[in-house]
Amino acid sequence: MPSRGAGLRQQLISLAPQLAEQTADLVDRWLADLRTRLASSESIEFRPKQVNDPVWGMIELLPWEVALLDTPLIQRMRGVRQLGLAQLVFPGANHGRLEHLIGVIGAAEEVLRSLRRQIERWNRSSSPQLPLPHITDAQGYAIRMAALLHDIGHGPFSQAIELVLASESPLGTLTTEFDYSWRSELKEAGRVLKEIYGLDDDPAVSEVIAVFFVLAPAMWEVFASDKVMTGRQLTADAFQEKVAAAIVGAIKGPGGDHLNAIISSQIDADRLDYLARDAHHAGLEIGFDTDRLLSRLEVLRVREDKLAPGAVELRSRAASSTDQMFYQIGI
């Protein structure tokens, strides 16, 4: 019986065969050297790596994160500008997506650390019948992996190119000699992901492509390797599924979890990093108290009988949840 992750990939392939084939081919080539090493009989040891970051200080990357970091899949992000064409106005804003990806790992780790402290405090002081669920190592590893991979769907100039990718014919008659059917596939895939994961909005173009990259067979091979994923603590299918769901911030559906809000939500690690990083490189002051926000984050137990009558969507979600209750990250 196929896993839910495998089932999701098959569903996306049936809707977007050309897009699935092309993204799988790219991941296959970008991870080729790593997969060759993993398939060999040689003993491989991936070691942690420390990065001195201007925003988060010392960030330690886990061995399996280092293994992927050193592949063309991630290294290509050095050439993708974080702020598109902003350097034409702010000459210092030349930073790339690679340092942002590492920064989001640092931000996600800070969020996880803050939530774990809050959960521990709550569980010590609350009624034994109302404990908050602990954040397992496996959940933390999946969130960190999603942080590393959340932007790999970006092309040159980041968001500035997304309108071109999403358009049916962005260059007018110049595109007629090529097959751009994948554009309609991209739109359909976004619609299906929104439906499967119960998202409020359509996922961004880059998020849809990143999900295809994460669900590619070559990525599964890496996640399945005990040589590199020594701390996975989940099956490769389950890990692949959780990473894909975290990238789009899915709270339900395959891999859906309240912790996915750490990667994609209104108070996610992505924003925490780019607000500070972009301001740093552009030479702007943002006046944002990151430390206070982190100290106020907590896992909330949301019950139907505690919600205001006007909170229709939340009340509906609670009513359909186990025990008429669900968890959510809030302030």
Side-chain angles (χ1 to χ4, degrees):
M1 178 180 296
S3 73
R4 289 184 295 171
L8 175 60
R9 172 167 170 75
Q10 290 305 315
Q11 187 170 357
L12 292 176
I13 288 176
S14 65
L15 293 168
Q18 184 180 358
L19 184 60
E21 179 182 358
Q22 291 180 355
T23 51
D25 180 63
L26 284 172
V27 177
D28 187 70
R29 286 188 281 130
W30 288 335
L31 297 182
D33 289 344
L34 175 60
R35 291 165 57 226
T36 298
R37 293 183 64 192
L38 296 177
S40 70
S41 58
E42 67 173 302
S43 176
I44 304 175
E45 181 181 4
F46 295 100
R47 298 182 179 180
K49 179 177 290 186
Q50 289 76 37
V51 177
N52 188 24
D53 184 74
V55 174
W56 300 102
M58 194 66 68
I59 299 174
E60 180 162 346
L61 301 178
L62 301 174
W64 45 91
E65 295 164 354
V66 174
L68 281 168
L69 177 70
D70 291 337
T71 66
L73 173 72
I74 305 298
Q75 288 298 310
R76 63 175 282 272
M77 304 309 292
R78 289 182 183 275
V80 178
R81 292 187 189 276
Q82 171 75 6
L83 291 179
L85 301 171
Q87 83 281 356
L88 299 177
V89 179
F90 301 96
N94 276 296
H95 54 305
R97 286 274 161 181
L98 180 66
E99 65 177 270
H100 170 61
L101 295 182
I102 296 173
V104 177
I105 293 177
E109 186 60 38
E110 291 295 328
V111 173
L112 287 167
R113 188 176 295 120
S114 178
L115 291 177
R116 281 174 168 139
R117 285 198 299 267
Q118 179 260 333
I119 291 170
E120 184 179 347
R121 287 196 301 268
W122 173 267
N123 287 347
R124 281 202 307 264
S125 61
S126 70
S127 165
Q129 288 76 35
L130 297 173
L132 290 172
H134 290 284
I135 300 174
T136 66
D137 288 343
Q139 289 173 311
Y141 295 150
I143 290 297
R144 287 178 56 109
M145 183 61 73
L148 178 64
L149 301 177
H150 81 282
D151 271 350
I152 57 173
H154 274 296
F157 310 113
S158 298
Q159 280 92 348
I161 202 73
E162 289 199 8
L163 288 177
V164 178
L165 292 175
S167 174
E168 291 296 331
S169 184
L171 301 179
T173 56
L174 294 179
T175 64
T176 56
E177 60 184 288
F178 302 106
D179 180 7
Y180 284 91
S181 61
W182 56 265
R183 294 183 191 279
S184 59
E185 292 184 356
L186 189 61
K187 184 176 181 179
E188 179 65 10
R191 183 193 66 78
V192 170
L193 288 175
K194 179 182 178 181
E195 180 181 311
I196 290 173
Y197 288 127
L199 305 177
D200 293 330
D201 300 306
D202 291 333
V205 169
S206 60
E207 291 177 335
V208 175
I209 296 175
V211 167
F212 273 89
F213 282 158
V214 168
L215 294 176
M219 188 72 78
W220 182 91
E221 288 184 31
V222 174
F223 289 161
S225 172
D226 291 332
K227 288 185 177 181
V228 60
M229 295 298 299
T230 55
R232 182 183 61 240
Q233 300 183 6
L234 295 168
T235 66
D237 288 317
F239 193 80
Q240 191 177 38
E241 169 185 290
K242 290 193 72 66
V243 172
I247 287 175
V248 297
I251 56 176
K252 58 183 179 181
D257 192 295
H258 63 284
L259 295 179
N260 291 342
I262 296 174
I263 302 300
S264 182
S265 69
Q266 294 301 310
I267 48 173
D268 57 34
D270 184 22
R271 276 181 175 79
L272 289 178
D273 182 76
Y274 74 63
L275 284 173
R277 189 171 306 280
D278 295 352
H280 169 80
H281 286 285
L284 300 173
E285 292 289 339
I286 60 172
F288 186 75
D289 193 341
T290 303
D291 289 338
R292 177 166 176 78
L293 176 62
L294 286 170
S295 71
R296 304 305 298 171
L297 288 177
E298 56 184 304
V299 175
L300 306 173
R301 180 186 284 102
V302 184
R303 298 186 60 88
E304 182 183 11
D305 57 359
K306 299 296 184 181
L307 290 167
V312 178
E313 184 178 342
L314 292 177
R315 290 178 67 88
S316 174
R317 182 180 163 196
S320 61
S321 302
T322 305
D323 298 327
Q324 287 70 57
M325 178 273 296
F326 62 89
Y327 297 106
Q328 183 164 306
I329 296 176
I331 299 175

